[in-house]
Amino acid sequence: MPSHSFRYFSRQVVEESVTMPEAIALMKEAFRSLSLGEAVVPLRVNLPQPAQNAQTLFMPVFLPSAEALGLKMVTIFRDNPARDLPLIHGLMLVMDGNNGQPLALLDAEYLTALRTGAASGLATDLLAKKEASVLAIFGTGAQARTQVEGVAAVRSLQKVLVFGRNRKNTEAFCNDIYTKTGIKTEIVQQPDQLLEADIVCTATTSNVPVFEHHHLKKGVHINGVGSYRPDTREIPGLTLQVAKVVVDQRTAAAAEAGDIVLPMKEGLLGNDPIFIEIGEIVAGIKQGRCSEDEITVFKSVGNAAQDLAVASYLVKKAQKYDLGVNLA
Ligand SMILES: NC(=O)c1ccc[n+]([C@@H]2O[C@H](COP(=O)([O-])OP(=O)(O)OC[C@H]3O[C@@H](n4cnc5c(N)ncnc54)[C@H](O)[C@@H]3O)[C@@H](O)[C@H]2O)c1
């Protein structure tokens, strides 16, 4: 493919061309580069559409390590699941980071789910106990699926406890997980079954905590991906108060994550809480888990460096394997 060609990558091509372990390795470099100040990722522009119960995020990024520039536009229409449509749609534009030439356009619906699962996979690898074998998942939507895949890529899971709200969706989710990963699932009947879990992932659109702090096991690791607005939360304030909290990007977490913003407002985290960035752990600047009993939380709101890391990897792979459709 000549360098000036412009390609389109459908969801199917993204899904078939980048594996979860590959995406986790890409997250490592993306977050390292973000925390060392190499990647340029301004706070995303958030376009509200209250009448549509929706918002659209515009996420620009320059990733020198990938020699790429990118912009992801992602729509979040909260009434979509009730219409049997995905909550999130997106497109990602990739330009050459050295000369600005347009290189590719990607469907970003699966790209988003893949990199979000991969970020939790990386965080789990860095923070969860090595012997962790039971995962609890809250939510049964698009992100929940890749959360399980991300965690399963880094730990030998014996069982996934599924906390769903709707029986039909929860059963379909369990079937999908078993087909894709071969891991046994259990639909949870009682909230205190959470005590079995070594790792917890929350991937819901909830505005209130989805579990109670006293149902957590000692030494548990939590990946919280659902809360992306200052008014949404999934994790109890008490959990954040006692846990080691690791974020994707400090400025974004403090501005966007209700799981951080709300307990701060409630005075649970002090005036100037110190959060670690996951890239600082990757770079060896900060330490991850310090004891067997410590609770660790990875709170992500999503970062364009993650999207561009995967997208530019795919663009390079496409040159070798002639993937996608040539548009110019
Ligand atoms: N951190 C990131 O990088 C990142 C990336 C993409 C999406 N997200 C966020 O993740 C969340 C989930 O996205 P999705 O694409 O999976 O959505 P989805 O609509 O496919 O799934 C949402 C799930 O949440 C469940 N849910 C909703 N309210 C709940 C509640 N009160 N208690 C328990 N479960 C509840 C629903 O039943 C459903 O299973 C959204 O808030 C989205 O914005 C975060």
mmCIF file of all heavy atoms in Angstrom, residues 89-116:
data_model
loop_
_atom_site.group_PDB
_atom_site.id
_atom_site.type_symbol
_atom_site.label_atom_id
_atom_site.label_comp_id
_atom_site.label_asym_id
_atom_site.label_seq_id
_atom_site.Cartn_x
_atom_site.Cartn_y
_atom_site.Cartn_z
ATOM 1 N N HIS A 89 -21.516 4.598 19.266
ATOM 2 C CA HIS A 89 -21.025 4.471 17.890
ATOM 3 C C HIS A 89 -19.803 5.362 17.783
ATOM 4 O O HIS A 89 -19.682 6.350 18.510
ATOM 5 C CB HIS A 89 -22.065 4.915 16.862
ATOM 6 C CG HIS A 89 -23.230 3.993 16.750
ATOM 7 N ND1 HIS A 89 -24.420 4.220 17.390
ATOM 8 C CD2 HIS A 89 -23.382 2.832 16.070
ATOM 9 C CE1 HIS A 89 -25.263 3.232 17.110
ATOM 10 N NE2 HIS A 89 -24.657 2.377 16.316
ATOM 11 N N GLY A 90 -18.930 5.069 16.839
ATOM 12 C CA GLY A 90 -17.770 5.937 16.722
ATOM 13 C C GLY A 90 -17.035 5.756 15.421
ATOM 14 O O GLY A 90 -17.182 4.741 14.728
ATOM 15 N N LEU A 91 -16.248 6.773 15.090
ATOM 16 C CA LEU A 91 -15.341 6.720 13.936
ATOM 17 C C LEU A 91 -14.009 7.288 14.379
ATOM 18 O O LEU A 91 -13.953 8.218 15.190
ATOM 19 C CB LEU A 91 -15.883 7.564 12.777
ATOM 20 C CG LEU A 91 -16.996 6.945 11.937
ATOM 21 C CD1 LEU A 91 -17.529 7.984 10.957
ATOM 22 C CD2 LEU A 91 -16.529 5.694 11.175
ATOM 23 N N MET A 92 -12.958 6.729 13.836
ATOM 24 C CA MET A 92 -11.613 7.204 14.179
ATOM 25 C C MET A 92 -10.878 7.540 12.893
ATOM 26 O O MET A 92 -10.843 6.742 11.946
ATOM 27 C CB MET A 92 -10.875 6.071 14.896
ATOM 28 C CG MET A 92 -9.425 6.338 15.147
ATOM 29 S SD MET A 92 -9.184 6.745 16.872
ATOM 30 C CE MET A 92 -7.697 7.710 16.799
ATOM 31 N N LEU A 93 -10.299 8.734 12.874
ATOM 32 C CA LEU A 93 -9.524 9.195 11.720
ATOM 33 C C LEU A 93 -8.051 9.143 12.103
ATOM 34 O O LEU A 93 -7.675 9.605 13.182
ATOM 35 C CB LEU A 93 -9.947 10.637 11.420
ATOM 36 C CG LEU A 93 -9.528 11.279 10.121
ATOM 37 C CD1 LEU A 93 -10.014 10.479 8.918
ATOM 38 C CD2 LEU A 93 -10.116 12.690 10.067
ATOM 39 N N VAL A 94 -7.232 8.574 11.205
ATOM 40 C CA VAL A 94 -5.783 8.491 11.467
ATOM 41 C C VAL A 94 -5.024 9.241 10.377
ATOM 42 O O VAL A 94 -5.302 9.059 9.187
ATOM 43 C CB VAL A 94 -5.303 7.018 11.478
ATOM 44 C CG1 VAL A 94 -3.808 6.943 11.819
ATOM 45 C CG2 VAL A 94 -6.106 6.183 12.471
ATOM 46 N N MET A 95 -4.114 10.113 10.799
ATOM 47 C CA MET A 95 -3.270 10.867 9.854
ATOM 48 C C MET A 95 -1.808 10.536 10.148
ATOM 49 O O MET A 95 -1.456 10.212 11.288
ATOM 50 C CB MET A 95 -3.463 12.376 10.031
ATOM 51 C CG MET A 95 -4.865 12.835 10.352
ATOM 52 S SD MET A 95 -5.937 12.895 8.945
ATOM 53 C CE MET A 95 -5.622 14.557 8.367
ATOM 54 N N ASP A 96 -0.982 10.696 9.138
ATOM 55 C CA ASP A 96 0.451 10.472 9.315
ATOM 56 C C ASP A 96 1.019 11.560 10.231
ATOM 57 O O ASP A 96 0.848 12.755 9.975
ATOM 58 C CB ASP A 96 1.126 10.521 7.932
ATOM 59 C CG ASP A 96 2.577 10.073 7.986
ATOM 60 O OD1 ASP A 96 3.302 10.524 8.891
ATOM 61 O OD2 ASP A 96 2.976 9.280 7.122
ATOM 62 N N GLY A 97 1.698 11.132 11.303
ATOM 63 C CA GLY A 97 2.212 12.083 12.298
ATOM 64 C C GLY A 97 3.419 12.870 11.811
ATOM 65 O O GLY A 97 3.824 13.841 12.463
ATOM 66 N N ASN A 98 3.985 12.491 10.676
ATOM 67 C CA ASN A 98 5.166 13.205 10.162
ATOM 68 C C ASN A 98 4.841 14.200 9.056
ATOM 69 O O ASN A 98 5.549 15.181 8.879
ATOM 70 C CB ASN A 98 6.201 12.202 9.628
ATOM 71 C CG ASN A 98 6.774 11.376 10.765
ATOM 72 O OD1 ASN A 98 7.071 11.908 11.834
ATOM 73 N ND2 ASN A 98 6.890 10.073 10.560
ATOM 74 N N ASN A 99 3.766 13.912 8.298
ATOM 75 C CA ASN A 99 3.454 14.842 7.198
ATOM 76 C C ASN A 99 1.973 15.207 7.116
ATOM 77 O O ASN A 99 1.562 15.928 6.218
ATOM 78 C CB ASN A 99 3.947 14.278 5.849
ATOM 79 C CG ASN A 99 3.283 12.940 5.543
ATOM 80 O OD1 ASN A 99 2.205 12.638 6.041
ATOM 81 N ND2 ASN A 99 3.932 12.132 4.710
ATOM 82 N N GLY A 100 1.168 14.689 8.053
ATOM 83 C CA GLY A 100 -0.247 15.079 8.102
ATOM 84 C C GLY A 100 -1.142 14.413 7.087
ATOM 85 O O GLY A 100 -2.345 14.699 7.035
ATOM 86 N N GLN A 101 -0.599 13.515 6.239
ATOM 87 C CA GLN A 101 -1.454 12.894 5.216
ATOM 88 C C GLN A 101 -2.507 11.993 5.855
ATOM 89 O O GLN A 101 -2.184 11.206 6.758
ATOM 90 C CB GLN A 101 -0.608 12.035 4.273
ATOM 91 C CG GLN A 101 0.145 12.843 3.240
ATOM 92 C CD GLN A 101 0.875 11.938 2.253
ATOM 93 O OE1 GLN A 101 1.433 10.919 2.630
ATOM 94 N NE2 GLN A 101 0.859 12.332 1.002
ATOM 95 N N PRO A 102 -3.756 12.062 5.357
ATOM 96 C CA PRO A 102 -4.795 11.158 5.874
ATOM 97 C C PRO A 102 -4.442 9.710 5.525
ATOM 98 O O PRO A 102 -4.044 9.417 4.402
ATOM 99 C CB PRO A 102 -6.056 11.587 5.129
ATOM 100 C CG PRO A 102 -5.750 12.926 4.560
ATOM 101 C CD PRO A 102 -4.280 13.000 4.343
ATOM 102 N N LEU A 103 -4.554 8.806 6.494
ATOM 103 C CA LEU A 103 -4.194 7.402 6.262
ATOM 104 C C LEU A 103 -5.390 6.460 6.327
ATOM 105 O O LEU A 103 -5.480 5.525 5.542
ATOM 106 C CB LEU A 103 -3.170 6.941 7.319
ATOM 107 C CG LEU A 103 -1.785 7.564 7.269
ATOM 108 C CD1 LEU A 103 -0.932 7.048 8.426
ATOM 109 C CD2 LEU A 103 -1.107 7.247 5.937
ATOM 110 N N ALA A 104 -6.286 6.711 7.286
ATOM 111 C CA ALA A 104 -7.353 5.720 7.455
ATOM 112 C C ALA A 104 -8.525 6.244 8.264
ATOM 113 O O ALA A 104 -8.388 7.189 9.051
ATOM 114 C CB ALA A 104 -6.779 4.480 8.165
ATOM 115 N N LEU A 105 -9.657 5.591 8.033
ATOM 116 C CA LEU A 105 -10.872 5.820 8.811
ATOM 117 C C LEU A 105 -11.284 4.446 9.354
ATOM 118 O O LEU A 105 -11.281 3.469 8.607
ATOM 119 C CB LEU A 105 -11.958 6.378 7.897
ATOM 120 C CG LEU A 105 -13.259 6.816 8.544
ATOM 121 C CD1 LEU A 105 -13.034 8.037 9.440
ATOM 122 C CD2 LEU A 105 -14.287 7.166 7.468
ATOM 123 N N LEU A 106 -11.580 4.394 10.639
ATOM 124 C CA LEU A 106 -11.948 3.093 11.238
ATOM 125 C C LEU A 106 -13.302 3.188 11.919
ATOM 126 O O LEU A 106 -13.594 4.211 12.568
ATOM 127 C CB LEU A 106 -10.968 2.696 12.340
ATOM 128 C CG LEU A 106 -9.553 2.281 12.025
ATOM 129 C CD1 LEU A 106 -8.664 3.491 11.832
ATOM 130 C CD2 LEU A 106 -8.998 1.446 13.170
ATOM 131 N N ASP A 107 -14.080 2.141 11.829
ATOM 132 C CA ASP A 107 -15.245 2.029 12.693
ATOM 133 C C ASP A 107 -14.712 1.924 14.122
ATOM 134 O O ASP A 107 -13.808 1.125 14.383
ATOM 135 C CB ASP A 107 -16.043 0.766 12.338
ATOM 136 C CG ASP A 107 -17.291 0.659 13.188
ATOM 137 O OD1 ASP A 107 -17.169 0.387 14.408
ATOM 138 O OD2 ASP A 107 -18.381 0.852 12.657
ATOM 139 N N ALA A 108 -15.252 2.730 15.028
ATOM 140 C CA ALA A 108 -14.661 2.770 16.374
ATOM 141 C C ALA A 108 -15.554 2.161 17.451
ATOM 142 O O ALA A 108 -15.284 2.311 18.630
ATOM 143 C CB ALA A 108 -14.283 4.192 16.736
ATOM 144 N N GLU A 109 -16.615 1.464 17.026
ATOM 145 C CA GLU A 109 -17.484 0.860 18.046
ATOM 146 C C GLU A 109 -16.743 -0.289 18.743
ATOM 147 O O GLU A 109 -16.597 -0.301 19.966
ATOM 148 C CB GLU A 109 -18.760 0.362 17.366
ATOM 149 C CG GLU A 109 -19.820 -0.109 18.329
ATOM 150 C CD GLU A 109 -20.954 -0.803 17.593
ATOM 151 O OE1 GLU A 109 -21.336 -0.350 16.485
ATOM 152 O OE2 GLU A 109 -21.453 -1.812 18.116
ATOM 153 N N TYR A 110 -16.248 -1.226 17.950
ATOM 154 C CA TYR A 110 -15.493 -2.329 18.561
ATOM 155 C C TYR A 110 -14.112 -1.866 19.014
ATOM 156 O O TYR A 110 -13.603 -2.313 20.040
ATOM 157 C CB TYR A 110 -15.368 -3.522 17.598
ATOM 158 C CG TYR A 110 -14.611 -4.646 18.256
ATOM 159 C CD1 TYR A 110 -15.193 -5.419 19.261
ATOM 160 C CD2 TYR A 110 -13.278 -4.896 17.922
ATOM 161 C CE1 TYR A 110 -14.478 -6.416 19.912
ATOM 162 C CE2 TYR A 110 -12.549 -5.896 18.572
ATOM 163 C CZ TYR A 110 -13.163 -6.645 19.562
ATOM 164 O OH TYR A 110 -12.449 -7.619 20.215
ATOM 165 N N LEU A 111 -13.514 -0.939 18.266
ATOM 166 C CA LEU A 111 -12.206 -0.388 18.658
ATOM 167 C C LEU A 111 -12.265 0.118 20.106
ATOM 168 O O LEU A 111 -11.373 -0.135 20.919
ATOM 169 C CB LEU A 111 -11.832 0.761 17.710
ATOM 170 C CG LEU A 111 -10.581 1.568 18.033
ATOM 171 C CD1 LEU A 111 -9.324 0.755 17.731
ATOM 172 C CD2 LEU A 111 -10.538 2.876 17.249
ATOM 173 N N THR A 112 -13.350 0.846 20.420
ATOM 174 C CA THR A 112 -13.525 1.390 21.777
ATOM 175 C C THR A 112 -13.634 0.265 22.801
ATOM 176 O O THR A 112 -12.978 0.288 23.847
ATOM 177 C CB THR A 112 -14.788 2.277 21.826
ATOM 178 O OG1 THR A 112 -14.620 3.349 20.892
ATOM 179 C CG2 THR A 112 -15.034 2.841 23.209
ATOM 180 N N ALA A 113 -14.441 -0.726 22.473
ATOM 181 C CA ALA A 113 -14.615 -1.838 23.426
ATOM 182 C C ALA A 113 -13.306 -2.613 23.594
ATOM 183 O O ALA A 113 -12.939 -2.996 24.714
ATOM 184 C CB ALA A 113 -15.732 -2.764 22.932
ATOM 185 N N LEU A 114 -12.593 -2.797 22.494
ATOM 186 C CA LEU A 114 -11.338 -3.556 22.548
ATOM 187 C C LEU A 114 -10.310 -2.841 23.417
ATOM 188 O O LEU A 114 -9.732 -3.427 24.335
ATOM 189 C CB LEU A 114 -10.786 -3.739 21.120
ATOM 190 C CG LEU A 114 -9.393 -4.368 21.006
ATOM 191 C CD1 LEU A 114 -9.406 -5.811 21.502
ATOM 192 C CD2 LEU A 114 -8.874 -4.318 19.569
ATOM 193 N N ARG A 115 -10.117 -1.555 23.161
ATOM 194 C CA ARG A 115 -9.059 -0.858 23.925
ATOM 195 C C ARG A 115 -9.459 -0.657 25.387
ATOM 196 O O ARG A 115 -8.622 -0.594 26.281
ATOM 197 C CB ARG A 115 -8.610 0.418 23.216
ATOM 198 C CG ARG A 115 -9.654 1.500 22.943
ATOM 199 C CD ARG A 115 -10.024 2.253 24.193
ATOM 200 N NE ARG A 115 -10.398 3.622 23.945
ATOM 201 C CZ ARG A 115 -11.205 4.309 24.730
ATOM 202 N NH1 ARG A 115 -11.796 3.731 25.780
ATOM 203 N NH2 ARG A 115 -11.467 5.568 24.483
ATOM 204 N N THR A 116 -10.789 -0.578 25.641
ATOM 205 C CA THR A 116 -11.242 -0.429 27.032
ATOM 206 C C THR A 116 -11.028 -1.741 27.798
ATOM 207 O O THR A 116 -10.561 -1.740 28.943
ATOM 208 C CB THR A 116 -12.722 0.001 27.062
ATOM 209 O OG1 THR A 116 -12.857 1.186 26.265
ATOM 210 C CG2 THR A 116 -13.201 0.291 28.462
#
